[in-house]
Amino acid sequence: LGAGTAINWDRPGLTLELLRALGARLEVNLEISRYPWKRGLYLVETGEADGIFHASYKPERERIGVYPKTADGAVDPSRAIFTQAYFLHVLRGSPVRWDGTTITGLGDAAVGATAGYSIVADLERMGVTVETGKIQGINLNKLVAGRIAAYAELENMAAAAIASDPAAYGEVVKLEPALISKPYYLLLSHAFVERDPALAAAVFDTIAKINADPAFQARASVYASGA
């Protein structure tokens, strides 16, 4: 949760709580830094960072880093950080519609998305023109200003950004159903996995164990309730 470089460790967000628990269980010190998504991917690719979250699976990202895999080499969703969905957001009263298969009512306007996010390619495969922005606030501002007809974003990311400024974004609504739902992973750098493959495997295994822990599930419920 949050923006900028500072992290509020009293309420850091559920994934950082998971990673904090992971560090404690594996007795490793984790240094967490917030970067724009595309910059973070570059740091992982070059080995300047050991991992990045949250990464959905894209075949081309295997050049950048390593996903948890099953014994037969398939990506392993049981060791994902979580599964979440992208939704299409529009202004109240918009003619844009999504029926689970096709987006209509766009006219000649584009759909906004965050630069580097996997939904960009998903939308382009639907034949939709996509205009990217660096962060959620930029995309929401474009939507409110009428520069884009709709905005495709991860449900929790959009909800947090909208809640941060109800006066500005109070007319933004979410269309059902979800555009797409997919698992999201901690993507580890090739350099890190090659340097310590046993620790890398332990990291992926421990993520699954923490997600199954009733104490962590209770913590997730606290966030979900907005408490």
Side-chain angles (χ1 to χ4, degrees):
L1 296 176
T5 57
I7 296 172
N8 175 11
W9 284 103
D10 292 330
R11 186 179 171 79
L14 195 57
T15 297
L16 289 187
E17 298 224 15
L18 183 151
L19 292 177
R20 181 162 54 184
L22 182 149
R25 291 192 185 199
L26 296 181
E27 298 183 327
V28 296
N29 294 318
L30 298 179
E31 180 181 340
I32 309 292
S33 300
R34 185 183 284 119
Y35 290 96
W37 178 246
K38 293 186 77 172
R39 173 66 175 170
L41 287 174
Y42 172 79
L43 294 174
V44 170
E45 183 176 10
T46 59
E48 296 173 70
D50 293 324
I52 187 171
F53 59 89
H54 311 94
S56 62
Y57 180 71
K58 295 176 69 175
E60 58 268 31
R61 283 187 184 153
E62 297 214 54
R63 174 180 56 82
I64 296 172
V66 178
Y67 292 90
K69 297 288 186 70
T70 61
D72 62 1
V75 181
D76 186 0
S78 73
R79 294 189 287 169
I81 292 177
F82 58 56
T83 296
Q84 73 172 346
Y86 281 94
F87 282 82
L88 200 65
H89 299 78
V90 300
L91 293 180
R92 198 180 310 278
S94 167
V96 176
R97 298 289 183 269
W98 161 246
D99 63 6
T101 303
T102 306
I103 300 173
T104 58
L106 293 172
D108 295 328
V111 173
T114 301
Y117 278 22
S118 61
I119 194 64
V120 174
D122 296 326
L123 290 167
E124 289 174 343
R125 280 192 289 270
M126 295 180 195
V128 171
T129 300
V130 182
E131 182 176 322
T132 60
K134 289 184 178 180
I135 60 174
Q136 286 73 33
I138 289 174
N139 291 303
L140 283 169
N141 290 339
K142 287 181 181 179
L143 179 62
V144 170
R147 292 171 53 196
I148 53 177
Y151 171 36
E153 183 55 87
L154 292 166
E155 182 178 22
N156 67 329
M157 299 293 280
I162 291 167
S164 71
D165 195 343
Y169 307 133
E171 292 300 302
V172 177
V173 295
K174 180 179 72 176
L175 299 184
E176 301 277 359
L179 284 168
I180 193 167
S181 181
K182 57 182 76 173
Y184 285 80
Y185 301 90
L186 175 65
L187 183 69
L188 296 177
S189 74
H190 288 288
F192 175 75
V193 174
E194 291 168 6
R195 186 169 67 246
D196 199 335
L199 179 56
V203 165
F204 288 139
D205 291 343
T206 303
I207 287 172
K209 291 175 182 176
I210 293 171
N211 270 322
D213 188 326
F216 183 74
Q217 292 172 0
R219 193 69 188 133
S221 295
V222 170
Y223 276 97
S225 70

